[in-house]
């Protein structure tokens, strides 16, 4: 695999460096305010008192915090489906969920929730929804238990 020769990798690295520097400057501490960053949805993440952070930390907080904000909105929608009895949320792990249902439509419901209803300019949310095949460990598809997993990318 090698480095692409069209210069896109260098452009990307430069763009990330510029963005990291912009976040560092924008979130600089002043007065009582600690070093901070805002997620894409506007949630403020601050450095703990007395903790020194570097530019990469700020970029990671922005990125991971934004993913968490979006995912938590999706999780609320899945919990509403659970309350209706359409599916059962088994496990939320990092940026993924495992759900079960006796109906074949559970995975498509999960896919619709995870892919739909959220748009930010220049941001594409990639979602992978997998259905547990018959015979897979822990899952049956004979109408009694259907497992599916969804994760953001």
């Amino acid at each position: 695999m090698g480095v692409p020769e069209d210069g896109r990798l260098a452009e990307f690295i430069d763009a990330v460096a510029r963005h990291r520097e912009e976040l560092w400057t924008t979130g600089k501490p002043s007065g009582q305010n600690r070093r901070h960053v805002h997620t894409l949805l506007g949630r403020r993440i601050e450095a703990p008192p007395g903790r020194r952070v570097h530019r990469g930390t700020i970029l990671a907080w922005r990125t991971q915090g934004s993913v968490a904000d979006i995912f938590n909105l999706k999780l609320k929608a899945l919990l509403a489906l659970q309350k209706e009895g359409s599916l059962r949320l088994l496990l939320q792990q990092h940026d993924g969920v495992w759900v079960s249902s006796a109906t074949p439509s559970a995975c498509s419901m999960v896919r619709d929730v995870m892919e739909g209803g959220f748009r930010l300019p220049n941001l594409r949310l990639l979602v992978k929804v997998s259905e547990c095949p018959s015979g897979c460990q822990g899952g049956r598809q004979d109408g009694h238990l259907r497992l599916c997993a969804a994760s953001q990318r």
Side-chain angles (χ1 to χ4, degrees), residues 2 12 20 28 40 64 71 96 106 113 117 130 140 153:
F12 176 75
R20 187 176 51 230
K28 94 176 171 184
L40 293 174
Q64 294 167 350
F71 186 77
V113 166
S130 305
R140 297 192 328 239
R153 295 177 185 218

PDB file of all heavy atoms in Angstrom, residues 2 12 20 28 40 64 71 96 106 113 117 130 140 153:
ATOM      1  N   GLY A   2       1.043   2.152  -0.258  1.00  0.00           N
ATOM      2  CA  GLY A   2       1.963   3.247  -0.205  1.00  0.00           C
ATOM      3  C   GLY A   2       1.212   4.546  -0.071  1.00  0.00           C
ATOM      4  O   GLY A   2       0.009   4.585  -0.033  1.00  0.00           O
ATOM      5  N   PHE A  12      -4.493  16.525   3.454  1.00  0.00           N
ATOM      6  CA  PHE A  12      -5.268  16.113   4.623  1.00  0.00           C
ATOM      7  C   PHE A  12      -4.487  16.398   5.907  1.00  0.00           C
ATOM      8  O   PHE A  12      -5.038  16.943   6.867  1.00  0.00           O
ATOM      9  CB  PHE A  12      -5.621  14.624   4.527  1.00  0.00           C
ATOM     10  CG  PHE A  12      -6.326  14.097   5.734  1.00  0.00           C
ATOM     11  CD1 PHE A  12      -7.657  14.402   5.962  1.00  0.00           C
ATOM     12  CD2 PHE A  12      -5.651  13.311   6.659  1.00  0.00           C
ATOM     13  CE1 PHE A  12      -8.318  13.926   7.089  1.00  0.00           C
ATOM     14  CE2 PHE A  12      -6.306  12.822   7.786  1.00  0.00           C
ATOM     15  CZ  PHE A  12      -7.641  13.136   7.995  1.00  0.00           C
ATOM     16  N   ARG A  20      -6.608  21.610  14.118  1.00  0.00           N
ATOM     17  CA  ARG A  20      -6.146  21.407  15.493  1.00  0.00           C
ATOM     18  C   ARG A  20      -5.680  22.738  16.094  1.00  0.00           C
ATOM     19  O   ARG A  20      -5.995  23.065  17.228  1.00  0.00           O
ATOM     20  CB  ARG A  20      -5.028  20.369  15.496  1.00  0.00           C
ATOM     21  CG  ARG A  20      -4.580  19.953  16.865  1.00  0.00           C
ATOM     22  CD  ARG A  20      -3.547  18.845  16.844  1.00  0.00           C
ATOM     23  NE  ARG A  20      -2.445  19.170  15.955  1.00  0.00           N
ATOM     24  CZ  ARG A  20      -1.966  18.358  15.004  1.00  0.00           C
ATOM     25  NH1 ARG A  20      -2.478  17.168  14.823  1.00  0.00           N
ATOM     26  NH2 ARG A  20      -0.964  18.738  14.251  1.00  0.00           N
ATOM     27  N   LYS A  28      -8.736  28.487  24.148  1.00  0.00           N
ATOM     28  CA  LYS A  28      -7.657  28.761  25.108  1.00  0.00           C
ATOM     29  C   LYS A  28      -8.219  29.263  26.431  1.00  0.00           C
ATOM     30  O   LYS A  28      -9.257  29.921  26.475  1.00  0.00           O
ATOM     31  CB  LYS A  28      -6.639  29.710  24.503  1.00  0.00           C
ATOM     32  CG  LYS A  28      -6.810  31.138  24.764  1.00  0.00           C
ATOM     33  CD  LYS A  28      -5.660  31.917  24.162  1.00  0.00           C
ATOM     34  CE  LYS A  28      -5.990  33.388  24.261  1.00  0.00           C
ATOM     35  NZ  LYS A  28      -5.029  34.229  23.643  1.00  0.00           N
ATOM     36  N   LEU A  40     -19.561  19.273  17.697  1.00  0.00           N
ATOM     37  CA  LEU A  40     -20.327  19.786  16.555  1.00  0.00           C
ATOM     38  C   LEU A  40     -21.745  20.172  16.958  1.00  0.00           C
ATOM     39  O   LEU A  40     -22.366  21.011  16.300  1.00  0.00           O
ATOM     40  CB  LEU A  40     -20.371  18.740  15.438  1.00  0.00           C
ATOM     41  CG  LEU A  40     -19.037  18.449  14.762  1.00  0.00           C
ATOM     42  CD1 LEU A  40     -19.179  17.302  13.772  1.00  0.00           C
ATOM     43  CD2 LEU A  40     -18.503  19.692  14.064  1.00  0.00           C
ATOM     44  N   GLN A  64     -14.338  12.756  19.247  1.00  0.00           N
ATOM     45  CA  GLN A  64     -15.026  11.713  20.014  1.00  0.00           C
ATOM     46  C   GLN A  64     -16.269  12.250  20.705  1.00  0.00           C
ATOM     47  O   GLN A  64     -17.280  11.549  20.813  1.00  0.00           O
ATOM     48  CB  GLN A  64     -14.062  11.091  21.017  1.00  0.00           C
ATOM     49  CG  GLN A  64     -12.948  10.345  20.334  1.00  0.00           C
ATOM     50  CD  GLN A  64     -11.798   9.984  21.270  1.00  0.00           C
ATOM     51  OE1 GLN A  64     -11.734  10.447  22.400  1.00  0.00           O
ATOM     52  NE2 GLN A  64     -10.887   9.165  20.789  1.00  0.00           N
ATOM     53  N   PHE A  71     -24.438   9.797  18.615  1.00  0.00           N
ATOM     54  CA  PHE A  71     -24.830   8.448  19.007  1.00  0.00           C
ATOM     55  C   PHE A  71     -25.876   8.473  20.111  1.00  0.00           C
ATOM     56  O   PHE A  71     -26.838   7.693  20.094  1.00  0.00           O
ATOM     57  CB  PHE A  71     -23.609   7.641  19.445  1.00  0.00           C
ATOM     58  CG  PHE A  71     -23.942   6.212  19.723  1.00  0.00           C
ATOM     59  CD1 PHE A  71     -24.144   5.317  18.685  1.00  0.00           C
ATOM     60  CD2 PHE A  71     -24.075   5.761  21.012  1.00  0.00           C
ATOM     61  CE1 PHE A  71     -24.469   3.992  18.933  1.00  0.00           C
ATOM     62  CE2 PHE A  71     -24.390   4.443  21.272  1.00  0.00           C
ATOM     63  CZ  PHE A  71     -24.594   3.551  20.219  1.00  0.00           C
ATOM     64  N   GLY A  96     -21.571   1.493  19.193  1.00  0.00           N
ATOM     65  CA  GLY A  96     -22.397   0.447  18.609  1.00  0.00           C
ATOM     66  C   GLY A  96     -23.460  -0.033  19.569  1.00  0.00           C
ATOM     67  O   GLY A  96     -23.403   0.227  20.768  1.00  0.00           O
ATOM     68  N   ALA A 106     -36.617  -5.820  12.683  1.00  0.00           N
ATOM     69  CA  ALA A 106     -35.818  -5.134  13.705  1.00  0.00           C
ATOM     70  C   ALA A 106     -34.573  -4.484  13.132  1.00  0.00           C
ATOM     71  O   ALA A 106     -34.274  -3.333  13.432  1.00  0.00           O
ATOM     72  CB  ALA A 106     -35.439  -6.101  14.818  1.00  0.00           C
ATOM     73  N   VAL A 113     -33.172   4.180  12.099  1.00  0.00           N
ATOM     74  CA  VAL A 113     -32.872   5.096  13.195  1.00  0.00           C
ATOM     75  C   VAL A 113     -31.434   5.600  13.092  1.00  0.00           C
ATOM     76  O   VAL A 113     -31.170   6.799  13.194  1.00  0.00           O
ATOM     77  CB  VAL A 113     -33.097   4.417  14.571  1.00  0.00           C
ATOM     78  CG1 VAL A 113     -32.470   5.226  15.700  1.00  0.00           C
ATOM     79  CG2 VAL A 113     -34.577   4.215  14.828  1.00  0.00           C
ATOM     80  N   GLY A 117     -32.485  11.078   9.895  1.00  0.00           N
ATOM     81  CA  GLY A 117     -32.842  12.179  10.764  1.00  0.00           C
ATOM     82  C   GLY A 117     -31.737  13.049  11.299  1.00  0.00           C
ATOM     83  O   GLY A 117     -31.987  13.918  12.106  1.00  0.00           O
ATOM     84  N   SER A 130     -25.554  -5.112  10.895  1.00  0.00           N
ATOM     85  CA  SER A 130     -25.337  -6.519  10.577  1.00  0.00           C
ATOM     86  C   SER A 130     -26.387  -7.350  11.287  1.00  0.00           C
ATOM     87  O   SER A 130     -26.692  -7.114  12.448  1.00  0.00           O
ATOM     88  CB  SER A 130     -23.958  -6.975  11.054  1.00  0.00           C
ATOM     89  OG  SER A 130     -22.955  -6.150  10.536  1.00  0.00           O
ATOM     90  N   ARG A 140     -30.422 -16.997  17.233  1.00  0.00           N
ATOM     91  CA  ARG A 140     -31.263 -17.897  16.458  1.00  0.00           C
ATOM     92  C   ARG A 140     -32.165 -17.048  15.602  1.00  0.00           C
ATOM     93  O   ARG A 140     -32.586 -15.970  16.012  1.00  0.00           O
ATOM     94  CB  ARG A 140     -32.106 -18.762  17.395  1.00  0.00           C
ATOM     95  CG  ARG A 140     -31.281 -19.668  18.277  1.00  0.00           C
ATOM     96  CD  ARG A 140     -32.140 -20.710  18.976  1.00  0.00           C
ATOM     97  NE  ARG A 140     -33.475 -20.261  19.277  1.00  0.00           N
ATOM     98  CZ  ARG A 140     -33.996 -20.214  20.491  1.00  0.00           C
ATOM     99  NH1 ARG A 140     -33.276 -20.581  21.522  1.00  0.00           N
ATOM    100  NH2 ARG A 140     -35.223 -19.825  20.698  1.00  0.00           N
ATOM    101  N   ARG A 153     -19.556   5.076  11.986  1.00  0.00           N
ATOM    102  CA  ARG A 153     -18.175   5.187  11.530  1.00  0.00           C
ATOM    103  C   ARG A 153     -17.893   6.620  11.172  1.00  0.00           C
ATOM    104  O   ARG A 153     -18.700   7.317  10.728  1.00  0.00           O
ATOM    105  CB  ARG A 153     -17.952   4.341  10.290  1.00  0.00           C
ATOM    106  CG  ARG A 153     -18.116   2.901  10.592  1.00  0.00           C
ATOM    107  CD  ARG A 153     -17.954   2.121   9.349  1.00  0.00           C
ATOM    108  NE  ARG A 153     -18.234   0.749   9.669  1.00  0.00           N
ATOM    109  CZ  ARG A 153     -17.573  -0.246   9.167  1.00  0.00           C
ATOM    110  NH1 ARG A 153     -16.605  -0.044   8.337  1.00  0.00           N
ATOM    111  NH2 ARG A 153     -17.869  -1.464   9.484  1.00  0.00           N
TER     112      ARG A 153
END
